[in-house]
Every structure is written in structure tokens, then in C-alpha cells.
């Protein structure tokens, strides 16, 4: 227990300190991050122990425990799990949690230091939180070891921006695409505009090409749609709850298309930039757009409400993850299915289509005692065979692999959704993580969402964002 | 002779045996109190151990980002008390607790008075009354969140004929706080009502009969007899509700997540965000220790007040 004072002058004090330390030990151990090495492994990777020729049956008889989020991608994975067990002889036990609780469950589990789950779903942003304490296995050595990784896994087949999004050097402000590979892209989402073709046709509207047009369009739909037979319809569904998840889809996409930054990095120091004059103006405009054309009770809106409003014909447009619209657009899924089309969304000045991404990735617990079996699972789940099956037979859309996105069966299936493939192909290369990687991401974006709500509520944008930047400067810098 | 001697020896040994049995019995009796307090000691240990550990953690800067934490003394507390966010959260917490306890007390006592006359309808209503208490508060909050949804929620639909259909219940700071208090009241008013009703039924009848003979009106009787005698029962409910409301998390978090802005971020939500979401463990625990101190002090004051009220109520009964 290296936190104990080195010397003690009084025996009673020494006794009390020792008692406190001894009593603290079990919980410190349970907290995993501990007061020791933060759970980091030694320099050598367990991947180095895998030698000989590649063999899917290498870990036959083992059981891998997975923690999964309730999602159509997960449904596709579970539907195909039998083929993994047949291929490898490895059993998979899993727990599925709804998204509201999923990340709390994962965070608490990883920080406990126990290896209760060998593999789990996570977003690329979570790498910034889970990576530095040493909770995530660096998958780079596994990928580079031909004894551990089959030739047909084909790393080059992944869209490079997706693979890079899960790579980080663990240094705040350092760009992605360098350092360890802390997760593998498995399914992703790009943030675009989906719209109700019926209301657009009836009101003679066309998708917005600029942010000004989008704001105008949202207001027009809210004013005119109810009178045109779309009872209770408003303009644009965007998230608004007091959560980090409010910032990353439509808001961050449009923010980035306007050339704006969340933080700047100067001499290795991360500085908040959301109070720059252009950022203040944009944020004010966004809040104004929500007020004039957004959903009622916006401050409680998560992607569930946004998505279901589009499906229920309550929203004329949705600026969010393409999957959120897709799940409403498929035949028979909602009253609006068959009447939802996709568009890349407004361009920024200079025609920018910079788009923020969300990647459902798969990661491995650094404390797992079954790393070889866990790696075989990750390899299979991100492999061509399973992902193609998931995309064609299930709803595992937005392929992370080029081969799947180019597959005729996949294209044929997605053709039924107007504009989906065109939109996907337009933004795929421009979709990257637009945030600055840093450990305080969740605090920063939750506070940012709260600031957005305050501006929506009528507070002065400049003073609210100055306050936010001042608060974050001491935490992030 | 020999048999006599033997008999005498046998009697002595029986006597000795009885004395030994009495000694064992005495020893057992003297041990009994210690054995009886073992469960209490274990329980106390089970409470004090994590509490002490939590307190111990607050002197470190333990967080996910600092796997090798330093001792920082009282720095976490200094930071908390130096934050305007803390004072804002404290203000909201107190507003919520006072508001919820006040609303629930008034409504609870009112409902108890209505149900006191035990008609058949009253007895049925009593049973219905406890239904909200059987629902987990977080479920109640989610249910109300759906019902209060401005465009599809049933509440606005019901209010529409009165021209009040477009209310955005949780979109403004005041609206979010009031709505949270209202949901809290929906869940917990029955608790106050049940305690008040039990109190009403235990009141002596003679003072009321005397008042009736003297021709005292309902309001006079309520103010001078019912309320003073009932108050100790109500105060027990108030203490419970006030303490619970100071620690509220589930209802507010499910309804507003602490928004809009930071307007409903009570101390418990801030502690959760710091410790779990943002993984600043020591800082988050420090928040809960501060909250514990506030609740403890408030409980001490209220319990002392309860003692005085009980004495006064006993005098009214006499």
C-alpha cells in the first residue's frame, strides 16, 4: 500500500493509519483502478503467447462472457452466434442491457477491476475514458500476430477512418489514428438528414443545402404541416436531453461543417473553443432552430423520441444517426415507412460535409483471463462472413467493411430506402470523429448539453458558453 | 455405614453438580446480553465500515484518470464549497425537499381527514390510496414523463378542452422543479396520509365530545384539538419525507436528467455524475459525505422538535 505515510511519530496514529489502510484494501482492490498500477498489464501483450499456425479451434471448450447493448446490431450478432460456436468450439454467454443503463453498467464493471466480461460493446468516445486507466486491451499486437489472426480477417477491408477512430495514444488532445488499437469497429452510424417525402411533396419543399435553409425549412414545416393534414407535425427532430448524447449527432455534425472546434490544442494544452464568436453564433442559431421548428419538450429528447417522431409522422425531418431513421423506414416498421428518404444534410461554408460519427465498437477487457478466446470472438464478430450476413439478413446496416458496402445483395436490399446508399456513399469518407480526444469528454459534452438547454431557455448564448469554457478549462487543460 | 457414607457422598456430589449447573446458567445469563447485541454490532459494522472507507477516500484524489492517487487532505471539500455549482445544487435540493414535504403534508393530512369517517367508499379508497407506494419511484417518474409529454401525453390531451393543451411541463427550470415535486407528491402523499390516518384513529374521543358539548365549530376543533394532538404523527411522516427528499435521485433523474441546464441537478445527481459518469471517485464521494452531513443535521433538529411536540400533544390530551 504505497499511499501510507513513510514515517510515523506516534504509535497510536500509526495503528490507526494501518487499520484504515487494511480496511480500505478490499474496496481498493474491488475498485480495480486500485492505488497501484491502474490495472495495466506488463509491457508484453498476451498476444505474444500465441504461436504456430492460425487455428479457429485454438480455444475450443472455453466460454467467453460478453456485455452487449440492446440494439438491432446486437440482435444480428446473437442470431448468428451459433455459427461462431460451431466454428471455434467456444461458447458465448452474454448479458444485454438497454442503452440507458448500458454504459453505467460497463463503466462500473470495468472500474471494479474484475474480469466479469471478456468482451463488450463500446463507442469510440469510451476509449478516451476507459483507455487511460488501462481497462482496455490493446488489440494491435493481436492484429499483427498472424498466429492469432487469420489471413481472411483482412484488416485493409475496413474503412480506414473507422479503424483509426478506435486508435489513440492516450494523450489528451493527440489525434486519433496513432497509438494502441483499443477497440474494433463493428457497426457505425453517420449523421445525416432523413425526411418525410409526403410532407415535402405536399408543401413543395426540398431538402436543405445550407444551415440557413435548414432553419427556415424546420420553421416552415412546423407552421404549415398541421394545416396540410399532418396533425401536430413539427419541423426537425434533434436530441435535447441533458446528456453527452445530445451533442454528438446533428449538432456536432453541423458544428463541424461550419469549421468549428470543441477544443483547440496549443503546445499540448487542450483549450475549450466552444465560446469562440462563430461557435456562439452557431449555437444560438441551433437553439433558435429548435425553438421555431423543433419538438415540444425538446429538453427531454433522446434518439428514441427523435426516431419515433419521424416514424409517427410527428417530425418532418430528423437530423441524427442514419440508423435512427432507417429503423423507422423499413417496411411495416412505422406509419411513415415507405415515406422516409435520406439526404446528406446541409453543407457548411465551402461545401463542407464533415460529419461526426458514432461507432459501435467491440473491445476486450484488459483483465480478461481468456484473451485468446475473446480475440477469436472479436475476429469473428468483425469478420466479413458475419458482417455480411448481419447486413443482408438482419439490420446490421452501415457496414464497417468496404466489401460489405459493395456487396450486390446488400446494395439491393438498401435500394428500397430512397437516398440511403447515395447519402452513405457521399458522406462515408468525410465521416470522422469531430471531437478532440480527451478523458473529460463526458463531463464536457454533458455540460455542453446543459448549456444548450439554457440557451434554448432564453439565456444569453455568449455568457453561457463563456461560463462553460471557463469551467472546462480547469478540468481539461 | 458404608452405604450411608456413600449416600452422604452422593448427596454432596449432587449438591456440587447443582452448584455447577447454577454457575453455568449464571454465566450463560451474563453472556446473553452480549450475544443479543451481536446482530446489532454486525449491522453497525456493516454501516460504519463502508462509511468510514468512503470518508477515507475523500482525502485522496482517486479517479479513473489518477490510478496512483495522492493524499490531498480536505482539498475535495474545499473544491466543493468553492464551486458555485455546489451552492446551486444545495439550493435546488433544499427547495425540492421543503416543497415536496410541504405539499405531501398538506395533501396527506387532507386525505386522512377525508377518509377518517370510515364509510364503505372510504375503506375502498384507502386501499387504492396505497397503490402509488407499490410502484418504484423511477417507474412512476418514467410513467409521468410519458403522460406529460406535450404532443402525445395524456395529460395535455385532457387539458386541451380547457385551452391548456400545449404545456411543456419540464422545459423551463421552474416547470421542471415543480413537475418533479408533483410526481414526488403523487408517489408519497399516500405515505403521509396513512400515518396521519393512523394518528387520527388513535386520538382520544373525550376532548372532542367535550368540545361538541361546548358547541365548538369544526375549524376551532381542528385547530385547537385535532391538529395539536395529531401533529406528532404527522411530524414523523414529515421527517421521513424531508430526509428522503433531500436524498432524491430517481424521480428527478428519470424526469429531467437534472435539466434544463443545471436547474434540477440536486446534490445526489451531482454526486452520481461525478463518481460514476465522470469517474472522479473521491470528489463524488465527498459530495455524498456533504449530503450525509446535511441530512444528519436536519434530522437532529427535526427529531428534537418532534420531542417537544410530543410533550405538547400529551399536555393537550390531558
Amino acid at each position: 500500500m504505497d499511499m501510507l505515510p513513510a514515517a510515523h511519530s506516534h504509535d497510536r496514529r500509526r495503528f490507526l493509519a494501518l487499520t484504515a489502510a487494511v480496511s480500505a484494501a478490499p474496496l481498493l482492490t474491488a475498485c480495480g483502478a486500485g492505488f497501484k498500477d491502474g490495472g495495466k498489464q506488463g509491457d508484453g501483450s498476451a498476444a505474444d503467447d500465441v504461436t504456430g499456425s492460425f487455428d479457429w479451434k485454438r480455444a475450443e471448450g472455453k466460454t467467453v462472457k460478453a456485455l452487449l447493448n440492446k440494439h438491432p446490431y446486437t440482435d444480428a450478432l446473437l442470431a448468428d452466434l451459433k455459427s461462431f460456436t460451431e466454428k471455434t468450439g467456444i461458447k458465448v454467454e452474454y448479458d444485454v442491457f438497454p442503452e440507458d443503463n448500458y454504459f453505467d453498467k460497463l463503466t462500473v464493471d470495468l472500474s471494479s477491476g474484475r474480469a466479469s466480461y471478456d468482451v463488450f460493446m463500446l463507442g469510440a468516445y469510451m476509449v478516451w475514458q476507459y483507455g487511460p486507466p488501462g481497462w482496455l486491451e490493446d488489440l494491435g499486437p493481436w492484429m499483427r500476430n498472424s498466429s492469432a489472426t487469420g489471413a481472411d480477417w483482412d484488416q485493409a477491408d475496413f474503412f480506414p477512418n473507422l479503424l483509426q477512430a478506435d486508435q489513440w495514444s492516450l494523450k489528451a488532445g493527440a489525434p486519433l489514428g496513432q497509438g494502441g488499437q483499443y477497440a474494433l469497429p463493428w457497426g457505425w452510424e453517420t449523421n445525416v438528414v432523413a425526411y418525410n417525402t409526403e410532407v415535402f411533396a405536399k408543401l413543395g419543399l426540398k431538402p436543405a443545402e445550407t444551415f440557413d435553409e435548414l432553419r427556415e425549412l424546420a420553421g416552415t414545416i412546423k407552421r404549415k404541416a398541421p394545416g396540410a393534414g399532418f396533425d401536430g407535425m413539427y419541423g426537425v427532430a434533434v436530441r435535447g436531453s441533458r446528456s453527452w448524447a445530445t451533442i454528438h449527432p446533428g449538432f456536432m455534425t453541423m458544428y463541424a461543417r461550419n469549421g468549428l472546434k470543441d477544443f483547440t490544442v496549443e503546445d499540448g494544452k487542450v483549450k475549450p473553443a466552444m465560446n469562440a464568436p462563430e461557435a456562439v453564433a452557431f449555437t444560438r442559431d441551433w437553439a433558435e432552430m429548435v425553438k421555431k421548428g423543433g419538438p415540444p419538450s425538446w429538453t427531454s429528447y433522446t434518439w428514441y423520441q427523435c426516431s419515433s417522431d419521424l416514424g409517427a409522422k410527428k417530425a418532418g425531418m430528423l437530423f441524427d444517426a442514419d440508423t435512427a431513421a432507417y429503423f423507422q423506414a423499413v417496411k411495416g416498421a412505422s406509419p411513415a415507412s415507405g415515406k422516409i428518404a435520406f439526404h446528406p444534410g446541409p453543407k457548411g461554408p465551402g461545401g463542407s460535409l464533415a460529419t461526426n460519427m458514432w461507432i459501435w465498437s467491440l473491445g476486450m477487457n484488459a483483465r480478461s483471463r481468456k484473451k485468446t478466446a475473446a480475440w477469436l470472438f472479436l475476429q469473428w464478430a468483425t469478420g466479413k462472413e458475419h458482417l455480411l450476413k448481419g447486413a443482408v439478413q438482419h439490420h446490421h446496416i452501415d457496414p464497417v467493411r468496404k466489401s460489405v458496402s459493395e456487396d450486390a445483395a446488400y446494395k439491393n436490399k438498401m435500394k428500397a430506402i430512397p437516398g440511403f446508399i447515395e447519402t452513405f456513399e457521399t458522406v462515408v469518407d468525410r465521416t470522422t470523429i469531430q471531437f478532440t480526444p480527451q478523458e473529460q469528454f463526458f463531463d464536457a459534452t454533458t455540460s455542453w448539453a446543459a448549456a444548450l438547454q439554457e440557451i434554448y431557455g432564453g439565456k444569453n448564448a455568449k455568457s453561457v458558453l463563456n461560463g462553460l469554457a471557463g469551467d472546462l478549462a480547469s478540468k481539461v487543460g | 455405614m458404608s452405604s450411608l457414607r456413600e449416600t452422604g457422598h452422593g448427596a454432596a456430589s449432587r449438591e456440587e453438580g447443582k452448584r455447577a449447573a447454577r454457575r453455568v446458567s449464571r454465566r450463560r445469563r451474563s453472556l446473553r446480553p452480549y450475544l443479543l447485541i451481536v446482530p446489532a454490532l454486525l449491522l453497525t459494522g456493516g454501516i460504519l465500515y463502508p462509511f468510514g472507507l468512503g470518508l477515507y477516500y475523500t482525502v485522496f484524489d482517486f479517479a479513473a484518470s489518477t490510478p496512483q492517487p495522492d493524499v490531498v487532505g480536505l482539498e475535495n471539500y474545499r473544491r466543493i464549497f468553492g464551486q458555485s455549482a455546489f451552492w446551486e445544487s444545495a439550493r435546488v435540493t433544499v427547495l425540492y425537499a421543503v416543497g415536496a414535504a410541504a405539499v405531501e403534508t398538506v395533501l396527506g393530512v387532507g386525505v386522512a381527514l377525508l377518509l377518517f369517517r370510515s364509510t364503505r367508499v372510504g375503506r375502498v379508497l384507502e386501499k387504492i390510496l396505497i397503490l402509488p407506494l407499490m410502484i418504484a419511484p423511477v417507474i412512476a417518474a418514467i410513467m409521468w414523463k410519458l403522460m406529460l409529454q406535450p404532443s402525445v401525453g395524456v395529460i395535455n390531451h385532457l387539458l386541451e378542452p380547457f385551452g391548456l393543451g400545449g404545456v411543456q411541463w419540464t422545459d423551463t427550470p421552474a416547470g421542471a422543479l415543480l413537475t418533479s415535486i408533483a410526481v414526488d407528491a403523487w408517489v408519497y402523499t399516500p405515505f403521509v396520509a396513512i400515518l396521519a390516518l393512523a394518528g387520527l384513529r388513535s386520538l382520544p374521543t373525550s376532548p372532542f365530545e367535550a368540545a361538541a358539548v361546548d358547541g365548538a365549530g369544526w375549524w376551532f376543533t381542528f385547530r385547537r384539538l385535532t391538529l395539536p394532538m395529531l401533529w406528532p404523527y404527522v411530524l414523523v411522516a414529515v421527517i421521513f419525507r424531508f430526509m428522503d427528499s433531500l436524498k432524491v435521485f430517481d424521480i428527478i433523474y428519470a424526469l429531467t436528467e437534472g435539466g434544463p441546464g443545471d436547474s434540477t441537478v440536486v446534490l445526489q445527481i451531482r454526486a452520481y455524475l461525478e463518481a460514476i459518469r465522470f469517474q472522479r471517485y473521491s470528489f463524488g464521494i465527498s459530495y455524498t459525505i456533504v449530503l450525509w452531513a446535511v441530512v444528519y443535521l436536519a434530522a437532529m433538529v427535526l427529531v428534537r422538535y418532534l420531542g417537544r411536540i410530543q410533550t405538547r400533544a400529551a399536555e393537550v390530551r390531558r
Side-chain angles (χ1 to χ4, degrees), chain A residues 13-31:
Chain A
R13 276 193 199 158
R14 188 187 174 97
F15 171 75
L16 287 172
L18 276 167
T19 311
V22 167
S23 59
L27 197 57
L28 293 182
T29 312
C31 276

Side-chain angles (χ1 to χ4, degrees), chain B residues 11-48:
Chain B
S13 105
R14 271 200 303 277
E15 194 54 36
E16 182 59 33
K18 276 182 191 168
R19 271 202 298 272
R22 274 200 296 272
R23 269 201 305 275
V24 171
S25 165
R26 259 203 311 274
R27 209 171 297 146
R28 271 192 196 150
R29 265 205 305 276
S30 63
L31 270 175
R32 201 175 295 157
Y34 297 102
L35 288 172
L36 286 172
I37 62 163
V38 166
L41 280 175
L42 288 174
L43 194 64
T44 310
I47 293 167
L48 287 181

Side-chain angles (χ1 to χ4, degrees), chain A residues 237-401:
Chain A
V238 287
R239 303 185 204 189
S241 74
R242 190 184 177 281
S243 158
W244 62 271
T246 283
I247 299 300
H248 84 92
F251 178 83
M252 194 60 192
T253 294
M254 203 63 244
Y255 189 83
R257 286 179 184 183
N258 275 274
L260 302 167
K261 298 277 173 207
D262 55 346
F263 294 94
T264 54
V265 184
E266 290 166 30
D267 303 326
K269 292 277 270 179
V270 181
K271 290 182 182 168
M274 56 283 279
N275 62 335
E278 299 81 5
V280 171
F282 169 80
T283 311
R284 192 190 295 123
D285 288 345
W286 184 270
E288 194 66 23
M289 175 186 80
V290 177
K291 258 185 156 176
K292 289 188 175 159
S297 204
W298 171 74
T299 55
S300 65
Y301 260 56
T302 65
W303 78 267
Y304 292 109
Q305 283 83 25
C306 293
S307 171
S308 61
D309 276 5
L310 182 75
K313 298 185 180 179
K314 291 280 172 201
M317 296 181 284
L318 170 77
F319 196 171
D320 204 284
D322 55 355
T323 51
Y326 169 82
F327 298 132
Q328 300 292 336
V330 288
K331 200 176 171 189
S334 73
S337 59
K339 299 175 185 84
I340 293 173
F342 285 79
H343 182 266
K347 294 183 183 72
S352 169
L353 274 176
T355 303
N356 193 47
M357 69 158 72
W358 168 261
I359 312 180
W360 274 118
S361 310
L362 291 174
M364 191 198 297
N365 193 333
R367 289 181 183 251
S368 168
R369 286 185 295 270
K370 298 166 203 156
K371 288 186 179 172
T372 305
W375 172 244
L376 288 169
F377 174 78
L378 295 185
Q379 211 178 137
W380 169 82
T382 57
K384 290 178 189 173
E385 198 181 330
H386 165 68
L387 288 179
L388 182 61
K389 206 186 282 183
V392 176
Q393 295 177 13
H394 301 279
H395 292 307
H396 197 133
I397 56 157
D398 278 6
V400 294
R401 286 181 169 275

Side-chain angles (χ1 to χ4, degrees), chain B residues 255-276:
Chain B
L255 268 178
T256 69
E257 283 187 61
D262 284 350
S263 64
T264 53
V265 178
V266 287
L267 287 171
Q268 200 76 289
I269 290 181
R270 204 167 280 286
Y272 158 76
L273 289 175
E274 289 291 346
I276 305 293

Side-chain angles (χ1 to χ4, degrees), chain B residues 296-307:
Chain B
Y296 185 79
L297 287 173
M300 253 173 55
V301 171
L302 283 170
V303 169
R304 270 192 198 163
Y305 179 60
L306 175 68

Side-chain angles (χ1 to χ4, degrees), chain A residues 23 28 104 107 242 299 443, chain B residues 49 171 261-262 272 279-280:
Chain A
S23 59
L28 293 182
D104 281 350
T107 305
R242 190 184 177 281
T299 55
D443 188 0
Chain B
Y49 177 75
D171 260 16
D262 284 350
Y272 158 76
Q279 297 181 308
R280 294 189 278 254

